[in-house]
Amino acid sequence: MARLNLPACAKPVYPKQSLREEQQGTVTLAFLIGTDGAVKDSKIVTSSGFPLLDQAAQDGIGRCKFLPTRINGKAEEAWMKMQYVWTLGDPTPAQAAATLAHARLNAERGKPESQYQLGTILMNTSNPAHNQAEAMDWLRKAADQGYARAQLMLGAIMQAGRAGKPDAEQAMAWYRKAAEQGMPEAQHALALALLVGDRPEDTSTAVDWLHRAATQGYARSQAVYGALLTDQSAPESVAQGIDLLRKAAAQGDAYGQLELARNYGAGRGMERNDAEAAVWYERAALGGNKQAQRTLAELYQRGQGVAADAAKAARWQKAADAPPARPR
């Protein structure tokens, strides 16, 4: 196991633009440690959702030095994995006021990204400056200028009824505007909204949007589209679905991992492998997927794909029964 030589690994620098836009997230990196302890290669396993943060983490790990893996006293190259959490922490009242003032100033100048930022600040019910009506006004101004993130957020607000009664038609209209700009998150949201209905034309359109988002590498769309394909009878569709599930699972998508586990367990599109199914159920369970946690508990109880272990079965059942964590 390689160990980090801490004095030779400086903390990555928070990108200035990311600070201005209050970007936060967790990056998972895989990196190859050479025999001299230097990082020879690195890959983004799971994105933070913000390319600048991903790149900064990757640049930072590239400057680190490690104690290399040794086998029989000889240094060997080895791949390792690490997470880096980018967080701004809770701002002080003065910092929050300054951020609000800066966003308002630029929003009033007509900058859509600042209108979106101001809208999200004012929509936050835990913020002292909370003003839902004004928030919606600023979000609409940004969305009307074609700012895709504002369009996506308005769609989510309309769908959930956060600013009045739920309005599925308005939600889909905003999702569609952002989706047509190529935003995969919006394409996925529009697809799911369309799948709620039972009209064949809506299902066909939903599948098309899932395909577009999946083609861009959006993990959740790869997972949902892949699951739809593996339910079909044509072998080529099943094979395509398995490939998409593998891609989603490799990005850490818990639903993709769950569906990949199910296919291993059923021998659908591949040779049945209970041990491999258990591996993917566990990864999905660790990602918080309740169905995976329940299934994993059953596998440990029966000893299917894993050694029977009543204690582990009880722990996973307890995790499955616990209510999902809620954001503060």
Side-chain angles (χ1 to χ4, degrees):
M1 188 76 169
R3 290 176 293 158
L4 180 59
N5 185 359
L6 288 174
C9 192
K11 184 179 179 180
V13 178
Y14 221 120
K16 291 182 178 179
Q17 183 178 337
S18 298
L19 285 171
R20 287 196 300 271
E21 296 180 5
E22 298 185 342
Q23 295 175 354
Q24 302 182 79
T26 300
V27 187
T28 303
L29 298 167
F31 50 96
L32 178 64
I33 303 168
T35 55
D36 60 352
V39 175
K40 297 181 65 176
D41 191 13
S42 64
K43 299 176 182 178
I44 304 294
V45 177
T46 306
S47 171
S48 65
F50 299 102
L52 285 177
L53 296 184
D54 294 348
Q55 188 60 54
Q58 201 167 14
D59 290 346
I61 203 71
R63 293 190 292 271
C64 292
K65 293 284 286 186
F66 292 78
L67 296 176
T69 295
R70 290 188 175 275
I71 301 176
N72 296 325
K74 182 183 177 182
E76 300 282 353
E77 291 186 354
W79 280 92
M80 298 290 291
K81 191 180 285 188
M82 179 184 290
Q83 279 192 338
Y84 189 80
V85 180
W86 294 97
T87 179
L88 298 169
D90 294 328
T92 65
Q95 289 171 330
T99 299
L100 178 64
H102 184 265
R104 187 178 293 280
L105 176 65
N106 285 302
E108 290 171 349
R109 289 173 175 169
K111 294 185 177 181
E113 62 274 16
S114 295
Q115 293 170 342
Y116 166 73
Q117 183 187 17
L118 180 57
T120 57
I121 291 172
L122 295 173
M123 182 60 73
N124 186 350
T125 55
S126 65
N127 193 303
H130 171 68
N131 185 324
Q132 191 179 77
E134 187 185 2
M136 291 295 290
D137 184 50
W138 285 114
L139 288 171
R140 284 194 180 93
K141 286 180 179 179
D144 286 341
Q145 290 194 68
Y147 195 66
R149 291 207 168 274
Q151 293 168 341
L152 174 63
M153 187 169 184
L154 280 175
I157 290 170
M158 296 292 185
Q159 188 173 26
R162 288 181 58 196
K165 291 182 179 180
D167 190 330
E169 268 192 43
Q170 279 294 307
M172 283 200 285
W174 285 117
Y175 285 150
R176 191 178 298 277
K177 287 178 184 292
E180 288 172 348
Q181 293 191 62
M183 187 181 193
E185 299 96 319
Q187 292 171 345
H188 184 80
L190 177 58
L192 293 189
L194 287 165
L195 284 173
V196 171
D198 55 5
R199 296 189 306 175
E201 60 268 31
D202 284 351
T203 301
S204 175
T205 304
V207 169
D208 180 58
W209 284 115
L210 284 173
H211 177 259
R212 294 192 201 188
T215 301
Q216 293 190 66
Y218 190 61
R220 182 48 58 93
S221 290
Q222 290 174 333
V224 175
Y225 186 36
L228 290 174
L229 288 171
T230 56
D231 278 342
Q232 296 184 17
S233 57
E236 59 272 19
S237 296
V238 175
Q240 184 185 357
I242 295 295
D243 181 59
L244 285 170
L245 291 178
R246 290 190 192 281
K247 289 177 179 178
Q251 292 189 64
D253 184 86
Y255 181 67
Q257 292 166 341
L258 171 69
E259 288 298 319
L260 186 58
R262 285 172 166 165
N263 282 279
Y264 268 115
R268 188 184 299 112
M270 60 183 76
E271 186 175 344
R272 177 172 174 168
N273 189 325
D274 287 343
E276 194 67 19
V279 167
W280 287 108
Y281 275 125
E282 184 168 36
R283 292 184 187 181
L286 289 169
N289 186 282
K290 294 294 183 183
Q291 183 57 58
Q293 291 169 351
R294 283 189 287 272
T295 302
L296 195 58
E298 293 170 4
L299 295 182
Y300 273 114
Q301 191 68 44
R302 296 197 302 263
Q304 182 177 329
V306 293
D309 190 322
K312 286 185 178 179
R315 284 199 295 271
W316 280 117
Q317 188 60 54
K318 184 177 180 181
D321 293 340
R326 294 177 178 272
R328 291 187 298 169

PDB file of all heavy atoms in Angstrom, residues 214 220-231 237-238 240-242 244-245 259 263:
ATOM      1  N   ALA A 214     -26.741  10.428 -22.240  1.00  0.00           N
ATOM      2  CA  ALA A 214     -25.817   9.312 -22.040  1.00  0.00           C
ATOM      3  C   ALA A 214     -24.612   9.423 -22.966  1.00  0.00           C
ATOM      4  O   ALA A 214     -23.476   9.124 -22.579  1.00  0.00           O
ATOM      5  CB  ALA A 214     -26.543   7.987 -22.269  1.00  0.00           C
ATOM      6  N   ARG A 220     -26.041   9.220 -14.732  1.00  0.00           N
ATOM      7  CA  ARG A 220     -27.376   8.769 -14.386  1.00  0.00           C
ATOM      8  C   ARG A 220     -28.181   8.423 -15.635  1.00  0.00           C
ATOM      9  O   ARG A 220     -28.959   7.469 -15.630  1.00  0.00           O
ATOM     10  CB  ARG A 220     -28.081   9.837 -13.542  1.00  0.00           C
ATOM     11  CG  ARG A 220     -29.493   9.472 -13.068  1.00  0.00           C
ATOM     12  CD  ARG A 220     -29.566   8.081 -12.452  1.00  0.00           C
ATOM     13  NE  ARG A 220     -28.694   7.861 -11.331  1.00  0.00           N
ATOM     14  CZ  ARG A 220     -29.027   8.020 -10.069  1.00  0.00           C
ATOM     15  NH1 ARG A 220     -30.248   8.427  -9.768  1.00  0.00           N
ATOM     16  NH2 ARG A 220     -28.160   7.753  -9.108  1.00  0.00           N
ATOM     17  N   SER A 221     -27.999   9.166 -16.724  1.00  0.00           N
ATOM     18  CA  SER A 221     -28.689   8.822 -17.970  1.00  0.00           C
ATOM     19  C   SER A 221     -28.159   7.523 -18.547  1.00  0.00           C
ATOM     20  O   SER A 221     -28.920   6.718 -19.096  1.00  0.00           O
ATOM     21  CB  SER A 221     -28.542   9.947 -18.995  1.00  0.00           C
ATOM     22  OG  SER A 221     -29.285  11.080 -18.608  1.00  0.00           O
ATOM     23  N   GLN A 222     -26.854   7.300 -18.435  1.00  0.00           N
ATOM     24  CA  GLN A 222     -26.291   6.026 -18.880  1.00  0.00           C
ATOM     25  C   GLN A 222     -26.932   4.876 -18.109  1.00  0.00           C
ATOM     26  O   GLN A 222     -27.252   3.836 -18.676  1.00  0.00           O
ATOM     27  CB  GLN A 222     -24.777   6.024 -18.667  1.00  0.00           C
ATOM     28  CG  GLN A 222     -24.020   6.963 -19.594  1.00  0.00           C
ATOM     29  CD  GLN A 222     -22.544   7.049 -19.258  1.00  0.00           C
ATOM     30  OE1 GLN A 222     -22.141   6.835 -18.108  1.00  0.00           O
ATOM     31  NE2 GLN A 222     -21.725   7.359 -20.240  1.00  0.00           N
ATOM     32  N   ALA A 223     -27.131   5.095 -16.797  1.00  0.00           N
ATOM     33  CA  ALA A 223     -27.717   4.052 -15.957  1.00  0.00           C
ATOM     34  C   ALA A 223     -29.172   3.786 -16.323  1.00  0.00           C
ATOM     35  O   ALA A 223     -29.582   2.629 -16.501  1.00  0.00           O
ATOM     36  CB  ALA A 223     -27.604   4.453 -14.489  1.00  0.00           C
ATOM     37  N   VAL A 224     -29.968   4.836 -16.444  1.00  0.00           N
ATOM     38  CA  VAL A 224     -31.402   4.661 -16.737  1.00  0.00           C
ATOM     39  C   VAL A 224     -31.600   4.117 -18.153  1.00  0.00           C
ATOM     40  O   VAL A 224     -32.386   3.179 -18.363  1.00  0.00           O
ATOM     41  CB  VAL A 224     -32.150   5.999 -16.554  1.00  0.00           C
ATOM     42  CG1 VAL A 224     -33.611   5.856 -16.982  1.00  0.00           C
ATOM     43  CG2 VAL A 224     -32.075   6.462 -15.108  1.00  0.00           C
ATOM     44  N   TYR A 225     -30.896   4.684 -19.115  1.00  0.00           N
ATOM     45  CA  TYR A 225     -31.013   4.211 -20.497  1.00  0.00           C
ATOM     46  C   TYR A 225     -30.498   2.779 -20.602  1.00  0.00           C
ATOM     47  O   TYR A 225     -31.107   1.925 -21.271  1.00  0.00           O
ATOM     48  CB  TYR A 225     -30.227   5.146 -21.420  1.00  0.00           C
ATOM     49  CG  TYR A 225     -30.379   4.868 -22.897  1.00  0.00           C
ATOM     50  CD1 TYR A 225     -31.591   4.445 -23.438  1.00  0.00           C
ATOM     51  CD2 TYR A 225     -29.305   5.053 -23.759  1.00  0.00           C
ATOM     52  CE1 TYR A 225     -31.729   4.205 -24.794  1.00  0.00           C
ATOM     53  CE2 TYR A 225     -29.431   4.816 -25.124  1.00  0.00           C
ATOM     54  CZ  TYR A 225     -30.639   4.388 -25.640  1.00  0.00           C
ATOM     55  OH  TYR A 225     -30.775   4.152 -26.988  1.00  0.00           O
ATOM     56  N   GLY A 226     -29.394   2.495 -19.922  1.00  0.00           N
ATOM     57  CA  GLY A 226     -28.849   1.138 -19.935  1.00  0.00           C
ATOM     58  C   GLY A 226     -29.826   0.134 -19.361  1.00  0.00           C
ATOM     59  O   GLY A 226     -29.994  -0.967 -19.901  1.00  0.00           O
ATOM     60  N   ALA A 227     -30.500   0.507 -18.261  1.00  0.00           N
ATOM     61  CA  ALA A 227     -31.482  -0.385 -17.645  1.00  0.00           C
ATOM     62  C   ALA A 227     -32.654  -0.642 -18.593  1.00  0.00           C
ATOM     63  O   ALA A 227     -33.164  -1.772 -18.676  1.00  0.00           O
ATOM     64  CB  ALA A 227     -31.974   0.208 -16.335  1.00  0.00           C
ATOM     65  N   LEU A 228     -33.092   0.389 -19.314  1.00  0.00           N
ATOM     66  CA  LEU A 228     -34.173   0.216 -20.280  1.00  0.00           C
ATOM     67  C   LEU A 228     -33.770  -0.748 -21.396  1.00  0.00           C
ATOM     68  O   LEU A 228     -34.554  -1.604 -21.819  1.00  0.00           O
ATOM     69  CB  LEU A 228     -34.562   1.572 -20.883  1.00  0.00           C
ATOM     70  CG  LEU A 228     -35.273   2.572 -19.956  1.00  0.00           C
ATOM     71  CD1 LEU A 228     -35.446   3.908 -20.667  1.00  0.00           C
ATOM     72  CD2 LEU A 228     -36.632   2.030 -19.517  1.00  0.00           C
ATOM     73  N   LEU A 229     -32.523  -0.627 -21.852  1.00  0.00           N
ATOM     74  CA  LEU A 229     -32.049  -1.483 -22.943  1.00  0.00           C
ATOM     75  C   LEU A 229     -31.909  -2.941 -22.502  1.00  0.00           C
ATOM     76  O   LEU A 229     -32.204  -3.859 -23.270  1.00  0.00           O
ATOM     77  CB  LEU A 229     -30.705  -0.968 -23.471  1.00  0.00           C
ATOM     78  CG  LEU A 229     -30.762   0.325 -24.290  1.00  0.00           C
ATOM     79  CD1 LEU A 229     -29.349   0.847 -24.558  1.00  0.00           C
ATOM     80  CD2 LEU A 229     -31.493   0.109 -25.607  1.00  0.00           C
ATOM     81  N   THR A 230     -31.459  -3.159 -21.258  1.00  0.00           N
ATOM     82  CA  THR A 230     -31.285  -4.545 -20.802  1.00  0.00           C
ATOM     83  C   THR A 230     -32.618  -5.243 -20.572  1.00  0.00           C
ATOM     84  O   THR A 230     -32.656  -6.467 -20.450  1.00  0.00           O
ATOM     85  CB  THR A 230     -30.448  -4.611 -19.507  1.00  0.00           C
ATOM     86  OG1 THR A 230     -31.062  -3.802 -18.488  1.00  0.00           O
ATOM     87  CG2 THR A 230     -29.026  -4.129 -19.751  1.00  0.00           C
ATOM     88  N   ASP A 231     -33.707  -4.480 -20.518  1.00  0.00           N
ATOM     89  CA  ASP A 231     -35.038  -5.081 -20.379  1.00  0.00           C
ATOM     90  C   ASP A 231     -35.604  -5.547 -21.724  1.00  0.00           C
ATOM     91  O   ASP A 231     -36.658  -6.177 -21.772  1.00  0.00           O
ATOM     92  CB  ASP A 231     -36.012  -4.090 -19.742  1.00  0.00           C
ATOM     93  CG  ASP A 231     -35.884  -4.056 -18.226  1.00  0.00           C
ATOM     94  OD1 ASP A 231     -35.311  -5.013 -17.660  1.00  0.00           O
ATOM     95  OD2 ASP A 231     -36.336  -3.084 -17.622  1.00  0.00           O
ATOM     96  N   SER A 237     -29.357  -4.997 -28.078  1.00  0.00           N
ATOM     97  CA  SER A 237     -29.824  -3.971 -27.144  1.00  0.00           C
ATOM     98  C   SER A 237     -29.340  -4.257 -25.739  1.00  0.00           C
ATOM     99  O   SER A 237     -28.895  -3.351 -25.019  1.00  0.00           O
ATOM    100  CB  SER A 237     -31.355  -3.889 -27.159  1.00  0.00           C
ATOM    101  OG  SER A 237     -31.833  -3.470 -28.411  1.00  0.00           O
ATOM    102  N   VAL A 238     -29.402  -5.521 -25.339  1.00  0.00           N
ATOM    103  CA  VAL A 238     -28.932  -5.914 -24.007  1.00  0.00           C
ATOM    104  C   VAL A 238     -27.440  -5.630 -23.876  1.00  0.00           C
ATOM    105  O   VAL A 238     -26.986  -5.084 -22.867  1.00  0.00           O
ATOM    106  CB  VAL A 238     -29.229  -7.408 -23.733  1.00  0.00           C
ATOM    107  CG1 VAL A 238     -28.626  -7.836 -22.395  1.00  0.00           C
ATOM    108  CG2 VAL A 238     -30.728  -7.655 -23.731  1.00  0.00           C
ATOM    109  N   GLN A 240     -25.669  -3.411 -25.514  1.00  0.00           N
ATOM    110  CA  GLN A 240     -25.483  -1.963 -25.436  1.00  0.00           C
ATOM    111  C   GLN A 240     -25.839  -1.458 -24.045  1.00  0.00           C
ATOM    112  O   GLN A 240     -25.164  -0.589 -23.490  1.00  0.00           O
ATOM    113  CB  GLN A 240     -26.352  -1.266 -26.491  1.00  0.00           C
ATOM    114  CG  GLN A 240     -26.147   0.245 -26.546  1.00  0.00           C
ATOM    115  CD  GLN A 240     -27.111   0.922 -27.519  1.00  0.00           C
ATOM    116  OE1 GLN A 240     -27.905   0.272 -28.200  1.00  0.00           O
ATOM    117  NE2 GLN A 240     -27.063   2.248 -27.566  1.00  0.00           N
ATOM    118  N   GLY A 241     -26.913  -2.017 -23.473  1.00  0.00           N
ATOM    119  CA  GLY A 241     -27.323  -1.614 -22.133  1.00  0.00           C
ATOM    120  C   GLY A 241     -26.281  -1.957 -21.083  1.00  0.00           C
ATOM    121  O   GLY A 241     -25.983  -1.151 -20.202  1.00  0.00           O
ATOM    122  N   ILE A 242     -25.706  -3.154 -21.178  1.00  0.00           N
ATOM    123  CA  ILE A 242     -24.663  -3.568 -20.228  1.00  0.00           C
ATOM    124  C   ILE A 242     -23.461  -2.626 -20.320  1.00  0.00           C
ATOM    125  O   ILE A 242     -22.883  -2.229 -19.307  1.00  0.00           O
ATOM    126  CB  ILE A 242     -24.223  -5.020 -20.499  1.00  0.00           C
ATOM    127  CG1 ILE A 242     -25.374  -5.988 -20.237  1.00  0.00           C
ATOM    128  CG2 ILE A 242     -23.006  -5.384 -19.655  1.00  0.00           C
ATOM    129  CD1 ILE A 242     -25.818  -6.047 -18.793  1.00  0.00           C
ATOM    130  N   LEU A 244     -23.459   0.512 -21.193  1.00  0.00           N
ATOM    131  CA  LEU A 244     -23.814   1.784 -20.566  1.00  0.00           C
ATOM    132  C   LEU A 244     -23.833   1.660 -19.040  1.00  0.00           C
ATOM    133  O   LEU A 244     -23.390   2.570 -18.330  1.00  0.00           O
ATOM    134  CB  LEU A 244     -25.180   2.256 -21.074  1.00  0.00           C
ATOM    135  CG  LEU A 244     -25.202   2.817 -22.492  1.00  0.00           C
ATOM    136  CD1 LEU A 244     -26.638   3.010 -22.966  1.00  0.00           C
ATOM    137  CD2 LEU A 244     -24.446   4.142 -22.560  1.00  0.00           C
ATOM    138  N   LEU A 245     -24.332   0.533 -18.535  1.00  0.00           N
ATOM    139  CA  LEU A 245     -24.343   0.331 -17.083  1.00  0.00           C
ATOM    140  C   LEU A 245     -22.923   0.286 -16.534  1.00  0.00           C
ATOM    141  O   LEU A 245     -22.649   0.821 -15.451  1.00  0.00           O
ATOM    142  CB  LEU A 245     -25.087  -0.952 -16.735  1.00  0.00           C
ATOM    143  CG  LEU A 245     -26.598  -0.949 -16.974  1.00  0.00           C
ATOM    144  CD1 LEU A 245     -27.191  -2.313 -16.638  1.00  0.00           C
ATOM    145  CD2 LEU A 245     -27.283   0.143 -16.154  1.00  0.00           C
ATOM    146  N   GLU A 259     -28.087  -1.781 -11.073  1.00  0.00           N
ATOM    147  CA  GLU A 259     -28.575  -2.477 -12.260  1.00  0.00           C
ATOM    148  C   GLU A 259     -27.525  -3.432 -12.820  1.00  0.00           C
ATOM    149  O   GLU A 259     -27.863  -4.517 -13.321  1.00  0.00           O
ATOM    150  CB  GLU A 259     -28.999  -1.460 -13.325  1.00  0.00           C
ATOM    151  CG  GLU A 259     -30.279  -0.722 -12.990  1.00  0.00           C
ATOM    152  CD  GLU A 259     -31.472  -1.665 -12.876  1.00  0.00           C
ATOM    153  OE1 GLU A 259     -31.590  -2.587 -13.705  1.00  0.00           O
ATOM    154  OE2 GLU A 259     -32.286  -1.477 -11.942  1.00  0.00           O
ATOM    155  N   ASN A 263     -27.940  -7.572 -13.263  1.00  0.00           N
ATOM    156  CA  ASN A 263     -27.663  -8.313 -14.491  1.00  0.00           C
ATOM    157  C   ASN A 263     -26.653  -9.425 -14.256  1.00  0.00           C
ATOM    158  O   ASN A 263     -26.769 -10.509 -14.846  1.00  0.00           O
ATOM    159  CB  ASN A 263     -27.192  -7.354 -15.587  1.00  0.00           C
ATOM    160  CG  ASN A 263     -28.347  -6.591 -16.215  1.00  0.00           C
ATOM    161  OD1 ASN A 263     -29.043  -7.105 -17.072  1.00  0.00           O
ATOM    162  ND2 ASN A 263     -28.563  -5.363 -15.776  1.00  0.00           N
TER     163      ASN A 263
END
